[in-house]
Amino acid sequence: MNVFPYTDDRNKRYHSWNYALRQEFGDKIFKVVIDGGFDCPNRDGTVAHGGCTFCSVSGSGDMILAPEDPLPVQFYKEIDRMHQKWPHVNQYIVYFQNFTNTHAPLHEIKERFEQVINLPGVVGLSIGTRPDCLPDDVVEYLAELNQRLYLWVELGLQTTFESTSKVINRAHDYQTYVEGVEKLRKHNIQVCTHLINGLPGETTEMMLENVRRTIIDTDIQGIKLHLLHLMRNTRMIRDYHQGKLQLLSRETYVDIICRQLEMIPQEIVIHRLTGDAPRETLIGPMWSLKKWETLNAIDQKMQKRDTFQGKYDIRQGGHYASNSLAF
């Protein structure tokens, strides 16, 4: 019997996104990924050029089915594909995923979001953005949406270390992220933070510290832990060829994830523990293409260690080995 309180699956020892949605809506929910047609301030010259060094030309939207189509058409194509596997699901959260989905004048943001809000079965929105793209008028609109439907704002942080941010050309600092979360939480908007494991130069201790800072410094409700994918036609290839980037093995990645989960309070929703990348553009790690094998390995490792999310809850004074870190 699994004693972890936030699951109805005896093999899960963490608070999964799937479980959280079932608790909220009473059934399985599709998260429908679409391309909102936004750009990124780190690409168009607003704050920098070239984008983050790990980012592909699609801005992390490589798996979107029909990015050039109008938003409602994208929506229907995506759910038609999903219904081939789960024909009875009829509730959807629309996910504006790639690039920066609050990087536009407010009237453009409204026009795009409102196109999908009233589509049949849509019960919520998940909006991927950057913490430096949350002007007051946009946050006020997000607060209005939060009263109308189920809402998450997903903030790309990736790392808490300024040295790494410079290497990957993130073009905003950690304090900007902290202030961005504060602006959203004033309106009770749920925040999910994205972190990447395996960035150039980051040790296991630094990856653990990324989680610690994020949990301690900000009031977040969800977290996405990504594996770094090295993609073709990205600036990060240069780091790889110069020996500045070592791709993680699956064994190492699974161990890091388990240690990170032990630190995260149990009520925080784990939106993701790995990621997807197209085979034709992925340089490595190639083991990441077998996503379910990785997720199963995490479950097995947690069971073998007899551990669970929040076992060493850092908000409750939990400890992990960080004494060797140089801040």
Side-chain angles (χ1 to χ4, degrees):
M1 180 178 178
N2 190 348
V3 296
F4 184 72
Y6 292 95
T7 186
D8 50 16
D9 182 340
R10 63 184 178 85
N11 293 320
K12 287 284 181 287
R13 293 173 175 243
Y14 59 88
H15 191 167
S16 72
W17 169 243
N18 185 57
Y19 174 80
L21 290 179
R22 286 184 181 275
Q23 295 302 301
E24 182 74 24
F25 296 103
D27 208 346
K28 185 173 181 62
I29 303 289
F30 281 163
K31 193 172 186 180
V32 184
V33 181
I34 64 174
D35 185 333
F38 294 93
D39 204 340
C40 174
N42 197 9
R43 296 166 65 99
D44 66 9
T46 303
V47 297
H49 291 280
C52 296
T53 61
F54 58 79
C55 196
S56 67
V57 294
S58 66
S60 301
D62 303 273
M63 307 299 285
I64 296 175
L65 185 62
E68 302 300 325
D69 286 343
L71 301 187
V73 176
Q74 289 188 50
F75 171 81
Y76 285 117
K77 285 185 176 180
E78 289 285 348
I79 65 172
D80 285 348
R81 177 173 63 174
M82 293 175 174
H83 281 151
Q84 294 175 17
K85 186 173 183 180
W86 295 285
H88 302 299
V89 176
N90 58 13
Q91 296 183 93
Y92 315 104
I93 293 172
V94 177
Y95 181 22
F96 286 82
Q97 179 188 34
N98 56 325
F99 294 119
T100 307
N101 294 280
T102 59
H103 179 50
L106 179 59
H107 70 275
E108 293 184 17
I109 294 171
K110 283 186 174 182
E111 188 272 332
R112 296 176 202 186
F113 290 178
E114 297 293 335
Q115 284 188 55
V116 301
I117 285 174
N118 295 316
L119 291 175
V122 173
V123 295
L125 289 182
S126 193
I127 300 166
T129 191
R130 286 167 55 100
D132 56 352
C133 290
L134 294 171
D136 291 344
D137 60 344
V138 171
V139 172
E140 289 172 6
Y141 174 56
L142 294 175
E144 175 194 330
L145 289 178
N146 197 42
Q147 298 299 313
R148 293 165 56 189
L149 75 173
Y150 185 72
L151 178 69
W152 281 87
V153 173
E154 303 195 20
L155 290 183
L157 173 61
Q158 320 314 352
T159 180
T160 66
F161 288 89
E162 306 297 353
S163 56
T164 308
S165 291
K166 291 178 181 177
V167 169
I168 65 174
N169 194 43
R170 189 63 191 157
H172 71 74
D173 61 11
Y174 180 58
Q175 185 58 32
T176 299
Y177 159 78
V178 173
E179 292 169 358
V181 176
E182 290 175 352
K183 293 178 73 171
L184 295 168
R185 291 303 296 149
K186 285 180 181 178
H187 298 281
N188 204 36
I189 296 169
Q190 297 184 104
V191 177
C192 174
T193 296
H194 293 212
L195 293 171
I196 296 178
N197 288 326
L199 290 171
E202 292 209 345
T203 63
T204 295
E205 288 74 17
M206 292 172 75
M207 296 177 219
L208 296 175
E209 178 66 7
N210 283 330
V211 170
R212 189 198 71 81
R213 290 176 177 173
T214 303
I215 300 299
I216 293 296
D217 294 346
T218 57
D219 176 27
I220 62 171
Q221 292 65 54
I223 193 165
K224 275 188 177 179
L225 299 171
H226 292 266
L227 168 68
L228 175 69
H229 291 115
L230 182 62
M231 309 288 286
R232 300 185 189 279
N233 301 317
T234 60
R235 296 166 67 191
M236 189 167 281
I237 292 175
R238 178 184 57 192
D239 295 325
Y240 181 65
H241 288 311
Q242 291 177 352
K244 298 176 183 178
L245 171 64
Q246 300 295 322
L247 299 179
L248 297 175
S249 69
R250 185 166 69 181
E251 181 180 6
T252 298
Y253 185 75
V254 168
D255 183 69
I256 290 168
I257 287 290
C258 291
R259 294 174 67 183
Q260 289 173 324
L261 287 172
E262 289 176 335
M263 300 161 59
I264 299 171
Q266 294 183 358
E267 66 274 11
I268 290 181
V269 180
I270 309 300
H271 287 238
R272 176 169 285 185
L273 290 178
T274 181
D276 300 293
R279 179 183 294 272
E280 61 272 17
T281 59
L282 180 67
I283 294 176
M286 298 309 293
W287 57 261
S288 67
L289 292 169
K290 298 180 179 180
K291 178 179 176 180
W292 287 105
E293 288 187 11
T294 302
L295 292 174
N296 289 337
I298 292 168
D299 290 337
Q300 293 163 9
K301 185 82 168 182
M302 298 286 279
Q303 292 180 53
K304 184 177 180 180
R305 289 167 54 154
D306 192 22
T307 193
F308 49 85
Q309 180 182 337
K311 183 174 184 179
Y312 306 117
D313 184 339
I314 51 177
R315 286 183 180 166
Q316 303 299 323
H319 174 75
Y320 75 105
S322 62
N323 295 333
S324 62
L325 281 176
F327 300 127

